Amino acid sequence: GGAFNFLVGIASPEDAGPELVVENVRKGEVHYGSNAGILVGDGTRHGTRECDHRAKRGVRITCSIYLADLNEKNLAVVAGDTTSTFPPTGDEDWIWAQRGRHWSKDGSRSLVGDLGRKEMEVKDSMMGCEERTKHNECLGDSKERAECWKSCRVFIPDDEYKPGEERRQVLGY
């Protein structure tokens, strides 16, 4: 428990119909509307409704914000989410290293002055990654990218990332 997806419709062609399919005990379709969002909770299957707006040169744009009260009980569930391409599905170390970055009960933390993730060991989980990744094998949806996180630089090692330092100092902007 404790993980949610907040969806906000930003743009959708006129007369496009519902943008979201939500399914639990019953199935329904939802139109985002304006100045509103939809909060989808744990265990609720949801997805973008199929569409093809090319004939009218239209596009649908939605912002998806993941919210989680991360703890040891739900870490595997949150890390196991398969709806995004980053971070790699199942990487509990990276998810756990993000705790407390953007919010705190006392209001002392935000993206302003972000100190980055906590320390974590970045390692490859497959033998021979350094050799296997010399010729762009890290691009796309490859086995190397999925298992050679250090060699493919999916995650930046602590000595370069510098956890605990303000991101604007590390990145220069």
Side-chain angles (χ1 to χ4, degrees):
F4 302 91
N5 189 359
F6 183 59
L7 300 152
V8 180
I10 296 173
S12 189
E14 285 188 39
D15 302 324
E19 295 98 348
L20 181 68
V21 176
V22 179
E23 182 180 337
N24 200 330
V25 176
R26 295 181 297 192
K27 182 178 181 179
E29 294 182 340
V30 179
H31 187 286
Y32 289 120
S34 60
N35 297 320
I38 297 168
L39 186 64
V40 181
D42 293 352
T44 302
R45 290 180 40 87
H46 64 285
T48 302
R49 185 173 168 261
E50 63 279 351
C51 64
D52 185 350
H53 304 299
R54 292 177 292 183
K56 294 183 179 180
R57 300 183 59 80
V59 66
R60 177 171 60 200
I61 302 171
T62 305
C63 177
S64 179
I65 303 167
Y66 291 91
L67 308 165
D69 178 17
L70 195 59
N71 57 57
E72 291 178 1
K73 289 180 184 177
N74 70 6
L75 176 60
V77 173
V78 173
D81 178 71
T82 60
T83 60
S84 61
T85 56
F86 185 86
T89 302
D91 183 36
E92 294 180 17
D93 292 339
W94 187 86
I95 296 288
W96 193 246
Q98 306 307 312
R99 292 182 338 266
R101 277 187 74 179
H102 307 133
W103 182 84
S104 63
K105 286 182 181 178
D106 65 5
S108 63
R109 287 187 225 123
S110 73
L111 286 175
V112 176
D114 179 25
L115 300 178
R117 63 165 167 74
K118 293 176 175 50
E119 292 182 5
M120 66 175 263
E121 182 183 356
V122 178
K123 58 186 181 272
D124 295 329
S125 62
M126 181 170 60
M127 297 291 287
C129 281
E130 285 186 38
E131 186 62 35
R132 292 179 74 139
T133 59
K134 287 184 178 179
H135 304 290
N136 294 329
E137 289 83 352
C138 297
L139 301 176
D141 201 18
S142 66
K143 179 178 176 85
E144 286 79 11
R145 181 168 176 77
E147 297 188 35
C148 299
W149 294 342
K150 183 176 182 179
S151 297
C152 286
R153 296 186 53 78
V154 173
F155 299 116
I156 302 170
D158 285 351
D159 62 333
E160 195 175 327
Y161 183 84
K162 300 181 172 85
E165 293 184 30
E166 278 195 38
R167 297 297 87 201
R168 68 179 115 190
Q169 296 293 337
V170 174
L171 302 172
Y173 53 85

